[in-house]
Amino acid sequence: MRLQAFGVTEPGAGTDTTRITTFARRDGDHYVVRGQKIWISRAEHSDLMVLLCRTTAREEAARPSDGMSVLLVDMREAVGNGLTIRPIRTMLNHATTELFFDDLRVPVGNLIGTEGQGFRYILDGMNAERILIAAECIGDARFFIDRASAYAREREVFGRPIGQNQGVQFPIARAHVQTSAADLMVRHAADLFDDGQPCGTEANMAKMLASEASWFAADTCLQVHGGFGFAEEYDIERKFRETRLYQVAPISTNLILSHVGNHVLGLPKSF
C-alpha cells in the first residue's frame, strides 16, 4: 500500500494555500470533489492520496485558514471515476502531475480529523516534508562532494592532480563545511519533530540550509569535472538538474526568509 501523493498546490493559489478553491461538497455519506491540483508528485505511483480541499468557502470562513478539510482518496478507485491525472514533463525525473476532479465521490469516512481544521493538519505534514527533503539534500550534497573529491584526486592536468590546486580544493572543502553545518540543523529539526515539539521554524531553516549546501556542492562538482560534468555517463548533470529544484519546492527560499523575518525577528509582514 503506497501513500506517496500529497494534494495541496493549485494553479491559482501556489504557496498561498488559503486561496485553494478545490471544493468538497457534502452529499449524504460522501463528499463530491470538484477542482484542480498541480505539481502533485508521484500521483501515478500511489494507491492513496492526502487531499486538501475546501468544505467552506473562504469568504464564509471566520479566518482564511479555516474551512479546509483533509480527505484520504483511494487513487485506485478514483482514476476514471471523477479523477484525471495528467503528467507534466519537466527538466528532471520527478514524476509530477496535474489532477482534475470532476464530481469525484469520496466517502465521509475518509475525512481525516475534524472538518474545517485541515489547514492545521497540513502544516504539521509540511514540517515533516521539509525535514525529509532537507535530509535528501544532505545526501545529494555528499554525493557531489564524494564525486568531486574522487575526480580531483585522480584527474591530472599539467603533471599534477587538479585537487592539489587551491582553486579546486577550497570550493570542495567549503562544500563539505556547509553540508556538515546544514546536517546539524536538519538533525535538530528532526529531533524536535520526533519529540512532538513545535518545529516550523527549524524545519524551514533546515530545508533552506540543506538545499543551498546541496546546490553549492552541485555547482562545485560540475565545475571540477569541467566538460565531463555535462556527460551523461558521469551522472553529474542529472543530479545537478535535480538538486536545483529544492530551492523552489516544496517551499521557496524567499518564503522561508519571510517566515524567519516575521515570526522569529518580529519584522513587519511583507505580504
Side-chain angles (χ1 to χ4, degrees):
M1 181 70 70
R2 300 168 299 176
L3 175 52
Q4 304 180 101
F6 195 41
V8 176
T9 307
E10 297 185 6
T15 48
D16 188 357
T17 305
T18 65
R19 294 191 180 277
I20 66 168
T21 57
T22 295
F23 200 88
R25 173 179 55 83
R26 182 72 179 265
D27 181 26
D29 57 357
H30 284 80
Y31 288 102
V32 180
V33 183
R34 293 186 65 87
Q36 180 182 355
K37 298 289 182 180
I38 196 169
W39 308 123
I40 310 304
S41 300
R42 295 170 296 280
E44 295 176 288
H45 309 286
S46 186
D47 298 309
L48 303 172
M49 174 175 62
V50 174
L51 175 66
L52 181 68
C53 49
R54 282 212 165 269
T55 44
T56 300
R58 188 177 191 269
E59 58 272 16
E60 297 175 5
R63 295 179 299 179
S65 59
D66 290 342
M68 289 183 276
S69 302
V70 180
L71 303 177
L72 187 64
V73 177
D74 190 328
M75 306 286 278
R76 298 163 299 180
E77 298 178 358
V79 174
N81 292 300
L83 172 61
T84 301
I85 302 176
R86 181 181 299 167
I88 301 174
R89 291 181 59 85
T90 66
M91 65 182 287
L92 47 88
N93 180 25
H94 199 61
T96 195
T97 65
E98 289 180 284
L99 306 181
F100 300 89
F101 302 91
D102 185 14
D103 291 339
L104 172 68
R105 298 183 69 82
V106 179
V108 170
N110 287 26
L111 174 69
I112 296 176
T114 303
E115 184 176 291
Q117 301 299 309
F119 186 71
R120 293 163 179 80
Y121 308 144
I122 288 295
L123 283 181
D124 192 56
M126 285 179 173
N127 288 335
E129 181 186 36
R130 288 166 194 177
I131 295 169
L132 177 65
I133 292 298
E136 181 179 336
C137 287
I138 295 298
D140 289 344
R142 287 177 174 154
F143 166 87
F144 289 119
I145 293 167
D146 289 347
R147 288 295 184 92
S149 298
Y151 189 78
R153 287 191 297 267
E154 298 167 2
R155 173 67 167 164
E156 291 190 4
V157 178
F158 301 118
R160 58 194 281 171
I162 62 173
Q164 188 174 343
N165 302 314
Q166 292 180 350
V168 173
Q169 183 183 125
F170 284 7
I172 302 174
R174 182 178 292 276
H176 173 75
V177 172
Q178 290 180 351
T179 300
S180 298
D183 184 41
L184 293 176
M185 189 70 233
V186 175
R187 292 176 183 273
H188 176 53
D191 286 342
L192 291 175
F193 184 86
D194 286 344
D195 289 343
Q197 299 183 47
C199 64
T201 295
E202 291 77 10
N204 276 314
M205 292 194 299
K207 190 266 178 182
M208 173 180 159
L209 290 172
S211 65
E212 291 184 345
S214 178
W215 178 241
F216 181 80
D219 190 57
T220 298
C221 186
L222 188 70
Q223 191 70 22
V224 168
H225 280 76
F228 288 108
F230 294 86
E232 289 185 357
E233 64 180 291
Y234 282 81
D235 284 332
I236 304 303
E237 57 83 24
R238 173 181 62 84
K239 291 296 291 180
F240 179 86
R241 286 182 282 116
E242 290 177 355
T243 201
R244 182 59 180 86
L245 169 67
Y246 297 121
Q247 290 183 63
V248 176
I251 184 174
S252 75
T253 299
N254 284 343
L255 280 175
I256 292 175
L257 293 172
S258 175
H259 169 89
V260 173
N262 182 226
H263 294 282
V264 179
L265 304 179
L267 297 172
K269 195 170 184 179
S270 58
F271 58 87

